[in-house]
Amino acid sequence: MQASKRIAFLASETEVAQAALATLVAAYGSVPLDRAEVIVALGGDGFMLHTLHGTQALGLPVYGMNCGTIGFLMNEYGEEGLAERLAAAEEEVINPLVMRAVTADGTLHRALAINEVSLLRAGPQAAKLKVTIDGKVRMEELICDGALVSTPAGSTAYNYSAHGPILPIGAEALALTPMAAFRPRRWRGAILPKTAHVRFDVLEADKRPVMADADGRSVRNVLSVEIHSEASIRHRILFDPGHGLEERLAHEQFV
């Protein structure tokens, strides 16, 4: 990438991100998204996910600069040498998950998730789920607080907090992880091929309501949820050399 690349700056609404936006636009200029060759997103991981979803149709690479907290998907914030950093940046490509959720009123809801799709109990009683993989029932009854399917990029987020496995970024795999499984009590989940189609059916939905969530976009009172990786959609994320997702995943496992 050459220094002459046209940059579109986007920022979250936080005071820190807005101050960074003003400083960087004054130093480097900013163009509208339809004229940009690269997007620089200022904020935290949540804003990075928002940016990737919102600019998906443009196919532009996104370089994040951390103005939030954890910043797993972001680079370190710095005002100097941005053109050179963009020129040296390494690209990672992520395929999102597609969620198709059917609610009690028969409505079909479709959403994309870069990190994970999760099902969560929405009442006082544990959820009761039937788990089907590629058309074959693998678990007739999973009683739990919830379950999720994670991409490698999302495996250090909610999935890791739920004691799921960290997946290498290049792995052709997905993580299926339960939250607080009651029965089977010691079931820890499964690693699935990236091509797997996962279906959850909610059992006793009236008594045990369940909600589904795809990267923060929630659907309540779901009866069934189907999840699969969508290879035709490619999110392009830029990282400083030596600080890409592969290194970050390794770092999470050895600190």
Side-chain angles (χ1 to χ4, degrees), residues 15-108:
E15 183 177 340
V16 171
Q18 288 297 312
L21 175 65
T23 298
L24 292 170
V25 169
Y28 299 99
S30 184
V31 300
L33 285 170
D34 60 2
R35 293 182 51 219
E37 294 171 279
V38 62
I39 297 168
V40 172
L42 307 170
D45 284 338
F47 184 72
M48 184 60 156
L49 293 176
H50 174 79
T51 300
L52 291 170
H53 285 301
T55 63
Q56 170 191 313
L58 300 176
L60 294 173
V62 181
Y63 181 89
M65 298 183 75
N66 189 22
C67 297
T69 51
I70 298 175
F72 183 80
L73 296 173
M74 315 299 278
N75 298 284
E76 182 179 352
Y77 177 77
E79 297 169 4
E80 303 297 326
L82 177 58
E84 290 75 18
R85 291 174 72 180
L86 291 174
E90 300 171 349
E91 182 174 300
E92 304 270 13
V93 175
I94 296 175
N95 303 120
L97 299 172
V98 174
M99 177 186 80
R100 293 167 55 88
V102 177
T103 53
D105 63 2
T107 303
L108 172 64

Side-chain angles (χ1 to χ4, degrees), residues 177-192:
T177 302
M179 282 88 84
F182 176 72
R183 187 175 296 120
R185 188 176 293 274
R186 297 190 181 278
W187 189 62
R188 298 297 298 273
I191 296 176
L192 307 174

Side-chain angles (χ1 to χ4, degrees), residues 87-194:
E90 300 171 349
E91 182 174 300
E92 304 270 13
V93 175
I94 296 175
N95 303 120
L97 299 172
V98 174
M99 177 186 80
R100 293 167 55 88
V102 177
T103 53
D105 63 2
T107 303
L108 172 64
H109 299 263
R110 185 181 183 276
L112 297 176
I114 294 166
N115 274 356
E116 77 279 317
V117 173
S118 56
L119 280 76
L120 303 165
R121 76 176 193 180
Q125 298 198 59
K128 187 179 287 188
L129 308 173
K130 180 171 72 173
V131 183
T132 303
I133 311 294
D134 292 331
K136 182 173 183 177
V137 177
R138 291 294 184 181
M139 192 167 288
E140 289 284 357
E141 185 177 279
L142 170 63
I143 301 177
C144 56
D145 278 356
L148 62 84
V149 176
S150 169
T151 66
S155 64
T156 61
Y158 196 2
N159 172 72
Y160 193 37
S161 296
H163 307 292
I166 293 180
L167 303 175
I169 193 63
E172 295 291 306
L174 305 172
L176 168 57
T177 302
M179 282 88 84
F182 176 72
R183 187 175 296 120
R185 188 176 293 274
R186 297 190 181 278
W187 189 62
R188 298 297 298 273
I191 296 176
L192 307 174
K194 189 176 180 180

Side-chain angles (χ1 to χ4, degrees), residues 203-218:
L203 309 178
E204 302 177 18
D206 290 337
K207 180 181 179 182
R208 304 169 184 267
V210 170
M211 62 178 287
D213 184 277
D215 279 358
R217 287 162 294 174
S218 299

